[in-house]
Each structure stands twice: as structure tokens, then as C-alpha cells.
Short mmCIF file of all heavy atoms in Angstrom, two decimals:
data_model
loop_
_atom_site.label_atom_id
_atom_site.label_comp_id
_atom_site.label_asym_id
_atom_site.label_seq_id
_atom_site.Cartn_x
_atom_site.Cartn_y
_atom_site.Cartn_z
N MET A 1 169.59 111.60 43.48
CA MET A 1 169.03 110.28 43.20
C MET A 1 167.53 110.33 43.40
O MET A 1 167.03 110.79 44.42
CB MET A 1 169.67 109.25 44.14
CG MET A 1 169.18 107.84 43.87
SD MET A 1 170.08 106.65 44.89
CE MET A 1 169.39 105.11 44.23
N THR A 2 166.82 109.87 42.40
CA THR A 2 165.37 109.88 42.47
C THR A 2 164.85 108.48 42.76
O THR A 2 165.14 107.54 42.04
CB THR A 2 164.75 110.38 41.15
OG1 THR A 2 165.25 111.67 40.88
CG2 THR A 2 163.24 110.43 41.25
N ALA A 3 164.10 108.37 43.82
CA ALA A 3 163.53 107.08 44.16
C ALA A 3 162.31 106.82 43.28
O ALA A 3 161.49 107.70 43.05
CB ALA A 3 163.11 107.06 45.62
N ARG A 4 162.24 105.63 42.76
CA ARG A 4 161.11 105.27 41.92
C ARG A 4 159.95 104.77 42.78
O ARG A 4 160.19 104.12 43.80
CB ARG A 4 161.52 104.16 40.95
CG ARG A 4 162.48 104.60 39.86
CD ARG A 4 163.20 103.41 39.29
NE ARG A 4 164.16 102.86 40.24
CZ ARG A 4 164.81 101.72 40.07
NH1 ARG A 4 164.57 100.99 39.04
NH2 ARG A 4 165.67 101.30 40.97
N PRO A 5 158.74 105.05 42.38
CA PRO A 5 157.61 104.49 43.13
C PRO A 5 157.54 103.00 42.88
O PRO A 5 157.82 102.55 41.77
CB PRO A 5 156.41 105.21 42.53
CG PRO A 5 156.84 105.58 41.15
CD PRO A 5 158.32 105.85 41.24
N PHE A 6 157.25 102.26 43.90
CA PHE A 6 157.17 100.81 43.69
C PHE A 6 155.71 100.40 43.52
O PHE A 6 154.80 101.04 44.02
CB PHE A 6 157.82 100.04 44.83
CG PHE A 6 157.24 100.34 46.18
CD1 PHE A 6 156.14 99.64 46.65
CD2 PHE A 6 157.81 101.30 46.98
CE1 PHE A 6 155.60 99.91 47.89
CE2 PHE A 6 157.27 101.58 48.22
CZ PHE A 6 156.17 100.89 48.68
N VAL A 7 155.54 99.36 42.77
CA VAL A 7 154.20 98.87 42.48
C VAL A 7 153.99 97.54 43.19
O VAL A 7 154.76 96.61 43.03
CB VAL A 7 154.00 98.66 40.96
CG1 VAL A 7 152.61 98.10 40.69
CG2 VAL A 7 154.21 99.98 40.24
N TRP A 8 152.98 97.49 43.96
CA TRP A 8 152.71 96.25 44.70
C TRP A 8 151.20 96.09 44.82
O TRP A 8 150.52 96.93 45.41
CB TRP A 8 153.38 96.28 46.07
CG TRP A 8 152.79 95.33 47.05
CD1 TRP A 8 152.29 95.63 48.27
CD2 TRP A 8 152.62 93.92 46.90
NE1 TRP A 8 151.82 94.50 48.89
CE2 TRP A 8 152.01 93.45 48.06
CE3 TRP A 8 152.93 93.02 45.87
CZ2 TRP A 8 151.68 92.10 48.24
CZ3 TRP A 8 152.60 91.68 46.04
CH2 TRP A 8 152.00 91.24 47.22
N VAL A 9 150.69 95.06 44.25
CA VAL A 9 149.26 94.78 44.31
C VAL A 9 149.08 93.42 44.97
O VAL A 9 149.54 92.41 44.45
CB VAL A 9 148.64 94.76 42.90
CG1 VAL A 9 147.16 94.44 42.99
CG2 VAL A 9 148.86 96.10 42.22
N GLY A 10 148.43 93.41 46.09
CA GLY A 10 148.24 92.16 46.81
C GLY A 10 146.94 91.48 46.46
O GLY A 10 146.23 91.89 45.53
N CYS A 11 146.63 90.43 47.19
CA CYS A 11 145.45 89.61 46.88
C CYS A 11 144.25 89.99 47.74
O CYS A 11 143.13 89.55 47.49
CB CYS A 11 145.79 88.14 47.06
SG CYS A 11 146.17 87.68 48.75
N GLY A 12 144.48 90.80 48.79
CA GLY A 12 143.36 91.22 49.61
C GLY A 12 143.09 90.35 50.82
O GLY A 12 142.21 90.66 51.62
N ASP A 13 143.85 89.27 50.97
CA ASP A 13 143.68 88.43 52.15
C ASP A 13 144.19 89.14 53.39
O ASP A 13 144.88 90.14 53.30
CB ASP A 13 144.45 87.12 51.97
CG ASP A 13 143.67 86.09 51.18
OD1 ASP A 13 142.51 86.38 50.84
OD2 ASP A 13 144.22 85.01 50.92
N ARG A 14 143.88 88.59 54.55
CA ARG A 14 144.37 89.16 55.79
C ARG A 14 145.90 89.15 55.79
O ARG A 14 146.51 88.12 55.53
CB ARG A 14 143.85 88.32 56.98
CG ARG A 14 144.40 88.73 58.33
CD ARG A 14 143.89 90.08 58.79
NE ARG A 14 142.46 90.03 59.12
CZ ARG A 14 141.99 89.76 60.34
NH1 ARG A 14 142.80 89.51 61.33
NH2 ARG A 14 140.70 89.75 60.56
N ALA A 15 146.48 90.31 56.07
CA ALA A 15 147.93 90.42 56.05
C ALA A 15 148.54 89.73 57.26
O ALA A 15 148.01 89.80 58.37
CB ALA A 15 148.33 91.89 56.01
N ARG A 16 149.66 89.07 57.02
CA ARG A 16 150.40 88.41 58.10
C ARG A 16 151.78 88.99 58.24
O ARG A 16 152.47 88.74 59.24
CB ARG A 16 150.52 86.91 57.82
CG ARG A 16 149.19 86.18 57.78
CD ARG A 16 148.53 86.17 59.14
NE ARG A 16 147.26 85.43 59.12
CZ ARG A 16 146.37 85.47 60.11
NH1 ARG A 16 146.60 86.21 61.17
NH2 ARG A 16 145.25 84.79 60.02
N ALA A 17 152.23 89.70 57.23
CA ALA A 17 153.59 90.25 57.25
C ALA A 17 153.55 91.76 57.13
O ALA A 17 152.74 92.33 56.40
CB ALA A 17 154.40 89.67 56.11
N ARG A 18 154.44 92.41 57.87
CA ARG A 18 154.59 93.86 57.80
C ARG A 18 156.01 94.12 57.32
O ARG A 18 156.97 93.67 57.96
CB ARG A 18 154.37 94.47 59.18
CG ARG A 18 154.59 95.98 59.26
CD ARG A 18 154.34 96.46 60.69
NE ARG A 18 154.50 97.89 60.84
CZ ARG A 18 155.67 98.49 61.03
NH1 ARG A 18 156.78 97.79 61.13
NH2 ARG A 18 155.74 99.81 61.15
N ILE A 19 156.14 94.80 56.20
CA ILE A 19 157.45 95.04 55.61
C ILE A 19 157.75 96.53 55.59
O ILE A 19 157.03 97.29 54.94
CB ILE A 19 157.52 94.46 54.18
CG1 ILE A 19 157.23 92.96 54.22
CG2 ILE A 19 158.88 94.74 53.56
CD1 ILE A 19 157.05 92.34 52.86
N GLU A 20 158.79 96.91 56.29
CA GLU A 20 159.19 98.31 56.29
C GLU A 20 159.97 98.59 55.01
O GLU A 20 160.77 97.77 54.57
CB GLU A 20 160.07 98.61 57.51
CG GLU A 20 159.32 98.43 58.82
CD GLU A 20 160.24 98.58 60.02
OE1 GLU A 20 161.45 98.46 59.86
OE2 GLU A 20 159.71 98.81 61.12
N VAL A 21 159.72 99.75 54.42
CA VAL A 21 160.37 100.14 53.17
C VAL A 21 161.29 101.32 53.44
O VAL A 21 160.83 102.40 53.80
CB VAL A 21 159.33 100.53 52.10
CG1 VAL A 21 160.03 100.95 50.80
CG2 VAL A 21 158.38 99.37 51.85
N TYR A 22 162.60 101.07 53.28
CA TYR A 22 163.57 102.13 53.54
C TYR A 22 164.08 102.73 52.24
O TYR A 22 164.34 102.02 51.28
CB TYR A 22 164.75 101.57 54.35
CG TYR A 22 164.39 101.26 55.77
CD1 TYR A 22 164.01 99.97 56.15
CD2 TYR A 22 164.38 102.26 56.73
CE1 TYR A 22 163.65 99.69 57.46
CE2 TYR A 22 164.02 101.99 58.04
CZ TYR A 22 163.66 100.70 58.39
OH TYR A 22 163.30 100.43 59.68
N ALA A 23 164.20 104.05 52.24
CA ALA A 23 164.68 104.76 51.06
C ALA A 23 166.16 104.46 50.85
O ALA A 23 166.87 104.14 51.79
CB ALA A 23 164.46 106.26 51.23
N PRO A 24 166.61 104.56 49.60
CA PRO A 24 168.01 104.26 49.28
C PRO A 24 168.99 105.19 50.00
O PRO A 24 170.15 104.85 50.19
CB PRO A 24 168.09 104.47 47.77
CG PRO A 24 166.69 104.47 47.29
CD PRO A 24 165.83 104.92 48.44
N ALA A 25 168.51 106.37 50.38
CA ALA A 25 169.40 107.35 50.99
C ALA A 25 169.99 106.86 52.31
O ALA A 25 171.07 107.26 52.70
CB ALA A 25 168.64 108.66 51.22
N GLY A 26 169.30 105.99 52.98
CA GLY A 26 169.83 105.50 54.24
C GLY A 26 168.78 104.78 55.05
O GLY A 26 167.58 104.98 54.85
N LEU A 27 169.21 103.94 55.94
CA LEU A 27 168.28 103.15 56.72
C LEU A 27 167.47 103.98 57.71
O LEU A 27 166.53 103.49 58.30
CB LEU A 27 169.03 102.05 57.47
CG LEU A 27 169.59 100.96 56.55
CD1 LEU A 27 170.34 99.93 57.38
CD2 LEU A 27 168.46 100.27 55.79
N ALA A 28 167.86 105.25 57.87
CA ALA A 28 167.12 106.09 58.79
C ALA A 28 165.85 106.64 58.14
O ALA A 28 164.98 107.18 58.82
CB ALA A 28 167.98 107.25 59.26
N ALA A 29 165.76 106.50 56.81
CA ALA A 29 164.63 107.06 56.09
C ALA A 29 163.58 105.99 55.81
O ALA A 29 163.62 105.29 54.81
CB ALA A 29 165.11 107.69 54.79
N LEU A 30 162.63 105.89 56.70
CA LEU A 30 161.54 104.94 56.50
C LEU A 30 160.50 105.61 55.60
O LEU A 30 159.91 106.63 55.94
CB LEU A 30 160.90 104.58 57.85
CG LEU A 30 159.79 103.53 57.82
CD1 LEU A 30 160.30 102.21 57.27
CD2 LEU A 30 159.25 103.32 59.23
N ALA A 31 160.31 105.05 54.41
CA ALA A 31 159.47 105.70 53.40
C ALA A 31 158.04 105.19 53.41
O ALA A 31 157.11 105.92 53.11
CB ALA A 31 160.08 105.50 52.02
N ALA A 32 157.88 103.93 53.74
CA ALA A 32 156.54 103.35 53.68
C ALA A 32 156.52 102.02 54.41
O ALA A 32 157.56 101.48 54.81
CB ALA A 32 156.13 103.13 52.23
N VAL A 33 155.33 101.50 54.61
CA VAL A 33 155.16 100.18 55.20
C VAL A 33 154.20 99.41 54.30
O VAL A 33 153.15 99.93 53.92
CB VAL A 33 154.60 100.25 56.63
CG1 VAL A 33 154.38 98.84 57.18
CG2 VAL A 33 155.56 101.01 57.54
N VAL A 34 154.58 98.20 53.96
CA VAL A 34 153.78 97.37 53.07
C VAL A 34 153.27 96.16 53.84
O VAL A 34 154.00 95.58 54.64
CB VAL A 34 154.63 96.90 51.86
CG1 VAL A 34 153.82 96.00 50.95
CG2 VAL A 34 155.15 98.10 51.09
N TYR A 35 152.04 95.81 53.60
CA TYR A 35 151.46 94.65 54.26
C TYR A 35 151.18 93.56 53.24
O TYR A 35 150.80 93.85 52.10
CB TYR A 35 150.18 95.03 54.98
CG TYR A 35 150.40 96.02 56.11
CD1 TYR A 35 150.42 97.38 55.87
CD2 TYR A 35 150.62 95.57 57.40
CE1 TYR A 35 150.64 98.29 56.90
CE2 TYR A 35 150.85 96.46 58.44
CZ TYR A 35 150.86 97.82 58.18
OH TYR A 35 151.09 98.70 59.18
N ALA A 36 151.36 92.32 53.63
CA ALA A 36 151.13 91.21 52.71
C ALA A 36 150.76 89.96 53.49
O ALA A 36 151.09 89.84 54.67
CB ALA A 36 152.37 90.94 51.87
N CYS A 37 150.09 89.05 52.81
CA CYS A 37 149.80 87.76 53.44
C CYS A 37 151.07 86.93 53.40
O CYS A 37 152.06 87.32 52.77
CB CYS A 37 148.65 87.07 52.71
SG CYS A 37 149.07 86.53 51.03
N GLU A 38 151.06 85.80 54.05
CA GLU A 38 152.27 84.98 54.14
C GLU A 38 152.77 84.58 52.76
O GLU A 38 153.95 84.61 52.47
CB GLU A 38 151.97 83.72 54.97
CG GLU A 38 153.23 83.03 55.48
CD GLU A 38 154.03 83.92 56.43
OE1 GLU A 38 153.44 84.56 57.31
OE2 GLU A 38 155.26 83.95 56.27
N ALA A 39 151.85 84.21 51.87
CA ALA A 39 152.24 83.74 50.54
C ALA A 39 152.84 84.85 49.68
O ALA A 39 153.70 84.59 48.84
CB ALA A 39 151.03 83.14 49.83
N HIS A 40 152.39 86.08 49.88
CA HIS A 40 152.86 87.16 49.03
C HIS A 40 153.94 88.03 49.66
O HIS A 40 154.42 88.97 49.02
CB HIS A 40 151.67 88.05 48.63
CG HIS A 40 150.75 87.38 47.65
ND1 HIS A 40 149.42 87.17 47.89
CD2 HIS A 40 151.00 86.85 46.42
CE1 HIS A 40 148.88 86.54 46.85
NE2 HIS A 40 149.81 86.33 45.95
N ALA A 41 154.32 87.74 50.89
CA ALA A 41 155.36 88.53 51.54
C ALA A 41 156.65 88.57 50.71
O ALA A 41 157.24 89.64 50.54
CB ALA A 41 155.62 88.01 52.94
N PRO A 42 157.11 87.42 50.17
CA PRO A 42 158.34 87.46 49.35
C PRO A 42 158.16 88.32 48.11
O PRO A 42 159.08 89.02 47.69
CB PRO A 42 158.57 86.00 48.99
CG PRO A 42 157.85 85.22 50.04
CD PRO A 42 156.63 86.05 50.36
N HIS A 43 156.99 88.27 47.51
CA HIS A 43 156.73 89.06 46.30
C HIS A 43 156.72 90.55 46.63
O HIS A 43 157.22 91.37 45.85
CB HIS A 43 155.39 88.66 45.68
CG HIS A 43 155.34 87.22 45.27
ND1 HIS A 43 155.79 86.78 44.05
CD2 HIS A 43 154.91 86.13 45.93
CE1 HIS A 43 155.64 85.46 43.98
NE2 HIS A 43 155.11 85.04 45.09
N ALA A 44 156.16 90.88 47.76
CA ALA A 44 156.13 92.29 48.16
C ALA A 44 157.55 92.79 48.38
O ALA A 44 157.90 93.90 47.97
CB ALA A 44 155.30 92.44 49.43
N ALA A 45 158.37 91.97 49.01
CA ALA A 45 159.76 92.36 49.26
C ALA A 45 160.51 92.53 47.94
O ALA A 45 161.33 93.44 47.79
CB ALA A 45 160.45 91.31 50.13
N GLU A 46 160.21 91.67 46.98
CA GLU A 46 160.87 91.77 45.68
C GLU A 46 160.47 93.06 44.97
O GLU A 46 161.29 93.70 44.31
CB GLU A 46 160.50 90.56 44.80
CG GLU A 46 161.17 89.27 45.24
CD GLU A 46 160.66 88.08 44.45
OE1 GLU A 46 159.95 88.29 43.45
OE2 GLU A 46 160.97 86.95 44.85
N ALA A 47 159.20 93.42 45.09
CA ALA A 47 158.72 94.65 44.46
C ALA A 47 159.43 95.86 45.06
O ALA A 47 159.78 96.81 44.35
CB ALA A 47 157.21 94.77 44.62
N VAL A 48 159.63 95.81 46.35
CA VAL A 48 160.32 96.91 47.04
C VAL A 48 161.77 97.00 46.56
O VAL A 48 162.27 98.08 46.24
CB VAL A 48 160.28 96.70 48.56
CG1 VAL A 48 161.19 97.69 49.27
CG2 VAL A 48 158.85 96.84 49.06
N THR A 49 162.42 95.85 46.48
CA THR A 49 163.81 95.81 46.03
C THR A 49 163.95 96.28 44.59
O THR A 49 164.85 97.03 44.24
CB THR A 49 164.38 94.38 46.16
OG1 THR A 49 164.26 93.96 47.52
CG2 THR A 49 165.84 94.34 45.75
N ALA A 50 163.01 95.85 43.75
CA ALA A 50 163.05 96.20 42.33
C ALA A 50 162.94 97.71 42.12
O ALA A 50 163.43 98.25 41.13
CB ALA A 50 161.94 95.48 41.58
N ALA A 51 162.28 98.38 43.04
CA ALA A 51 162.10 99.82 42.92
C ALA A 51 163.26 100.60 43.52
O ALA A 51 163.28 101.82 43.50
CB ALA A 51 160.79 100.24 43.59
N GLY A 52 164.24 99.88 44.06
CA GLY A 52 165.42 100.54 44.59
C GLY A 52 165.35 100.84 46.07
O GLY A 52 166.19 101.55 46.61
N TYR A 53 164.37 100.28 46.74
CA TYR A 53 164.25 100.47 48.18
C TYR A 53 164.75 99.23 48.91
O TYR A 53 164.97 98.19 48.29
CB TYR A 53 162.78 100.71 48.57
CG TYR A 53 162.23 102.04 48.11
CD1 TYR A 53 161.68 102.16 46.83
CD2 TYR A 53 162.23 103.15 48.93
CE1 TYR A 53 161.17 103.38 46.39
CE2 TYR A 53 161.72 104.37 48.50
CZ TYR A 53 161.18 104.47 47.23
OH TYR A 53 160.68 105.67 46.80
N ALA A 54 164.92 99.37 50.19
CA ALA A 54 165.38 98.24 50.99
C ALA A 54 164.26 97.75 51.89
O ALA A 54 163.78 98.48 52.75
CB ALA A 54 166.57 98.67 51.84
N PRO A 55 163.80 96.50 51.66
CA PRO A 55 162.73 95.96 52.49
C PRO A 55 163.26 95.38 53.80
O PRO A 55 164.34 94.82 53.85
CB PRO A 55 162.13 94.87 51.61
CG PRO A 55 163.30 94.38 50.81
CD PRO A 55 164.19 95.59 50.59
N ASN A 56 162.50 95.53 54.84
CA ASN A 56 162.87 94.95 56.12
C ASN A 56 161.61 94.39 56.76
O ASN A 56 160.77 95.13 57.28
CB ASN A 56 163.50 96.00 57.05
CG ASN A 56 163.81 95.40 58.41
OD1 ASN A 56 164.33 94.30 58.53
ND2 ASN A 56 163.46 96.13 59.46
N ARG A 57 161.48 93.08 56.69
CA ARG A 57 160.28 92.45 57.25
C ARG A 57 160.37 92.40 58.76
O ARG A 57 161.39 92.00 59.32
CB ARG A 57 160.10 91.04 56.69
CG ARG A 57 158.87 90.37 57.24
CD ARG A 57 158.61 89.03 56.59
NE ARG A 57 157.46 88.39 57.23
CZ ARG A 57 156.93 87.24 56.84
NH1 ARG A 57 157.45 86.61 55.82
NH2 ARG A 57 155.90 86.73 57.46
N THR A 58 159.30 92.83 59.39
CA THR A 58 159.27 92.79 60.84
C THR A 58 158.26 91.74 61.28
O THR A 58 157.35 91.38 60.54
CB THR A 58 158.86 94.16 61.41
OG1 THR A 58 157.54 94.47 60.96
CG2 THR A 58 159.81 95.25 60.94
N ARG A 59 158.45 91.28 62.48
CA ARG A 59 157.56 90.23 62.97
C ARG A 59 156.68 90.72 64.11
O ARG A 59 156.07 89.93 64.81
CB ARG A 59 158.39 89.03 63.44
CG ARG A 59 159.18 88.40 62.31
CD ARG A 59 159.86 87.11 62.71
NE ARG A 59 160.60 86.52 61.61
CZ ARG A 59 160.04 85.86 60.59
NH1 ARG A 59 158.74 85.70 60.56
NH2 ARG A 59 160.77 85.38 59.62
N ALA A 60 156.63 92.04 64.24
CA ALA A 60 155.79 92.59 65.28
C ALA A 60 154.32 92.28 64.97
O ALA A 60 153.93 92.20 63.81
CB ALA A 60 155.99 94.10 65.35
N ALA A 61 153.56 92.12 66.00
CA ALA A 61 152.14 91.84 65.81
C ALA A 61 151.49 93.02 65.10
O ALA A 61 151.79 94.18 65.38
CB ALA A 61 151.47 91.59 67.15
N LEU A 62 150.61 92.73 64.17
CA LEU A 62 149.94 93.79 63.44
C LEU A 62 148.92 94.45 64.35
O LEU A 62 148.05 93.78 64.91
CB LEU A 62 149.24 93.21 62.21
CG LEU A 62 150.17 92.50 61.22
CD1 LEU A 62 149.37 91.94 60.06
CD2 LEU A 62 151.27 93.41 60.73
N PRO A 63 149.04 95.76 64.52
CA PRO A 63 148.15 96.49 65.44
C PRO A 63 146.70 96.49 64.96
O PRO A 63 145.78 96.46 65.77
CB PRO A 63 148.73 97.90 65.47
CG PRO A 63 149.44 98.03 64.15
CD PRO A 63 149.98 96.65 63.84
N THR A 64 146.53 96.54 63.68
CA THR A 64 145.16 96.54 63.15
C THR A 64 145.11 95.60 61.96
O THR A 64 146.13 95.27 61.37
CB THR A 64 144.74 97.94 62.68
OG1 THR A 64 145.70 98.43 61.76
CG2 THR A 64 144.64 98.91 63.84
N ALA A 65 143.94 95.18 61.61
CA ALA A 65 143.78 94.26 60.49
C ALA A 65 144.07 94.99 59.18
O ALA A 65 143.41 95.97 58.86
CB ALA A 65 142.37 93.70 60.48
N ARG A 66 145.06 94.50 58.46
CA ARG A 66 145.39 95.06 57.15
C ARG A 66 145.19 93.96 56.12
O ARG A 66 145.22 92.78 56.44
CB ARG A 66 146.83 95.54 57.10
CG ARG A 66 147.17 96.66 58.07
CD ARG A 66 146.44 97.94 57.73
NE ARG A 66 146.97 99.05 58.53
CZ ARG A 66 146.32 100.20 58.68
NH1 ARG A 66 145.13 100.37 58.12
NH2 ARG A 66 146.84 101.17 59.39
N ARG A 67 145.02 94.41 54.88
CA ARG A 67 144.86 93.45 53.80
C ARG A 67 146.13 93.35 52.99
O ARG A 67 146.88 94.32 52.88
CB ARG A 67 143.70 93.90 52.89
CG ARG A 67 142.35 93.91 53.59
CD ARG A 67 141.90 92.52 53.96
NE ARG A 67 140.72 92.55 54.83
CZ ARG A 67 140.12 91.44 55.28
NH1 ARG A 67 140.61 90.26 54.98
NH2 ARG A 67 139.07 91.52 56.06
N CYS A 68 146.35 92.19 52.41
CA CYS A 68 147.50 91.99 51.54
C CYS A 68 147.44 93.00 50.40
O CYS A 68 146.42 93.09 49.71
CB CYS A 68 147.48 90.56 50.98
SG CYS A 68 148.82 90.19 49.86
N GLY A 69 148.50 93.80 50.25
CA GLY A 69 148.52 94.81 49.21
C GLY A 69 148.40 96.21 49.76
O GLY A 69 148.61 97.18 49.03
N TYR A 70 148.11 96.32 51.06
CA TYR A 70 147.98 97.65 51.66
C TYR A 70 149.34 98.31 51.77
O TYR A 70 150.31 97.70 52.21
CB TYR A 70 147.34 97.52 53.05
CG TYR A 70 147.09 98.85 53.71
CD1 TYR A 70 145.90 99.52 53.50
CD2 TYR A 70 148.05 99.41 54.55
CE1 TYR A 70 145.66 100.75 54.12
CE2 TYR A 70 147.82 100.63 55.17
CZ TYR A 70 146.63 101.30 54.94
OH TYR A 70 146.41 102.50 55.55
N VAL A 71 149.40 99.57 51.36
CA VAL A 71 150.66 100.32 51.44
C VAL A 71 150.41 101.62 52.18
O VAL A 71 149.49 102.37 51.83
CB VAL A 71 151.21 100.65 50.03
CG1 VAL A 71 152.48 101.50 50.15
CG2 VAL A 71 151.51 99.36 49.27
N PHE A 72 151.21 101.86 53.20
CA PHE A 72 151.14 103.13 53.90
C PHE A 72 152.40 103.91 53.59
O PHE A 72 153.51 103.48 53.89
CB PHE A 72 151.03 102.92 55.42
CG PHE A 72 150.97 104.23 56.17
CD1 PHE A 72 149.77 104.89 56.34
CD2 PHE A 72 152.14 104.80 56.68
CE1 PHE A 72 149.73 106.10 57.02
CE2 PHE A 72 152.10 106.02 57.35
CZ PHE A 72 150.88 106.67 57.52
N ARG A 73 152.24 105.08 52.95
CA ARG A 73 153.39 105.91 52.60
C ARG A 73 153.48 107.07 53.59
O ARG A 73 152.50 107.77 53.81
CB ARG A 73 153.23 106.47 51.19
CG ARG A 73 153.23 105.43 50.11
CD ARG A 73 152.91 106.06 48.76
NE ARG A 73 152.60 105.05 47.75
CZ ARG A 73 153.51 104.42 47.01
NH1 ARG A 73 154.77 104.73 47.17
NH2 ARG A 73 153.16 103.52 46.13
N PHE A 74 154.64 107.24 54.15
CA PHE A 74 154.83 108.35 55.05
C PHE A 74 154.92 109.65 54.25
O PHE A 74 155.65 109.70 53.26
CB PHE A 74 156.11 108.16 55.88
CG PHE A 74 155.98 107.05 56.87
CD1 PHE A 74 156.43 105.76 56.55
CD2 PHE A 74 155.37 107.24 58.09
CE1 PHE A 74 156.28 104.71 57.45
CE2 PHE A 74 155.24 106.20 59.01
CZ PHE A 74 155.68 104.94 58.68
N PRO A 75 154.17 110.66 54.64
CA PRO A 75 154.14 111.92 53.89
C PRO A 75 155.50 112.62 53.85
O PRO A 75 155.75 113.44 52.98
CB PRO A 75 153.10 112.77 54.62
CG PRO A 75 153.01 112.16 55.97
CD PRO A 75 153.30 110.69 55.80
N THR A 76 156.37 112.28 54.76
CA THR A 76 157.68 112.93 54.80
C THR A 76 158.70 112.20 53.94
O THR A 76 159.85 112.59 53.87
CB THR A 76 158.21 112.97 56.25
OG1 THR A 76 158.20 111.65 56.78
CG2 THR A 76 157.36 113.86 57.12
N ALA A 77 158.27 111.14 53.27
CA ALA A 77 159.19 110.36 52.46
C ALA A 77 159.78 111.20 51.34
O ALA A 77 159.12 112.06 50.77
CB ALA A 77 158.47 109.16 51.87
N GLY A 78 161.02 110.92 51.01
CA GLY A 78 161.68 111.66 49.95
C GLY A 78 160.97 111.48 48.61
O GLY A 78 160.40 110.44 48.33
N GLY A 79 161.00 112.51 47.79
CA GLY A 79 160.37 112.42 46.49
C GLY A 79 159.00 113.05 46.44
O GLY A 79 158.46 113.27 45.37
N ALA A 80 158.43 113.35 47.60
CA ALA A 80 157.10 113.97 47.64
C ALA A 80 157.19 115.39 47.08
O ALA A 80 158.13 116.13 47.37
CB ALA A 80 156.58 113.99 49.06
N ARG A 81 156.20 115.76 46.30
CA ARG A 81 156.19 117.10 45.72
C ARG A 81 154.82 117.71 45.91
O ARG A 81 153.84 117.01 45.93
CB ARG A 81 156.51 117.06 44.21
CG ARG A 81 157.96 116.70 43.97
CD ARG A 81 158.23 116.62 42.47
NE ARG A 81 159.65 116.39 42.22
CZ ARG A 81 160.22 115.19 42.27
NH1 ARG A 81 159.49 114.16 42.59
NH2 ARG A 81 161.51 115.05 42.04
ZN1 ZN B 101 148.41 87.92 49.32
#
């Protein structure tokens, strides 16, 4: 099974939501973390779902200031070549 890259473009506002992106292979495979402002958090989650990943929004305080649309991909995520 090949995971598709997801497309998510935010507005650049201060992020309020942190959404963990889990690979379809299992919940143990954290592939990326997406940041979004409050208004775009649902859209970011939809983009993750549309790409075949499972979004999991967390409410932990953001350690550093991120902007809506910021995506951090873990280098160990499946599909890397
Ligand atoms: Zn936004």
C-alpha cells in the first residue's frame, strides 16, 4: 500500500491546533504533524483524511510558535525514498 502525500496549505496565522498524522499501516506509525489555526483545523484534518491518513488532533500546548499550514514530516515515515 502506497501512502499518498497530502496537500495542506494554511493561511499563515498563528497555529492553535496540532494535528498528528498517522500512516494507514497503523496507529503506531506517526508520519507527520500538521499545524493549523482554529478556523482551518477542520480543513487540515480533512486534507489528512483525503490522503488516506488518520488525523488525531491533540490539545497539548504548542512548544513553539508555528504558523497555520506548517507541516513537519518525520524522516522515518513510510514512503520515503
Ligand atoms: Zn488558518
Side-chain angles (χ1 to χ4, degrees):
M1 182 174 185
T2 302
R4 290 160 289 171
F6 58 87
V7 178
W8 159 236
V9 179
C11 65
D13 276 357
R14 174 69 69 91
R16 296 294 182 192
R18 177 180 181 276
I19 301 171
E20 296 174 341
V21 179
Y22 289 95
L27 291 179
L30 183 61
V33 177
V34 178
Y35 296 86
C37 68
E38 198 63 44
H40 289 122
H43 299 275
E46 287 174 10
V48 170
T49 302
Y53 291 86
N56 177 44
R57 180 174 176 176
T58 62
R59 297 188 180 283
L62 301 179
T64 54
R66 298 294 190 197
R67 296 293 170 180
C68 178
Y70 183 89
V71 177
F72 179 85
R73 295 174 193 274
F74 290 95
T76 54
R81 290 178 175 82

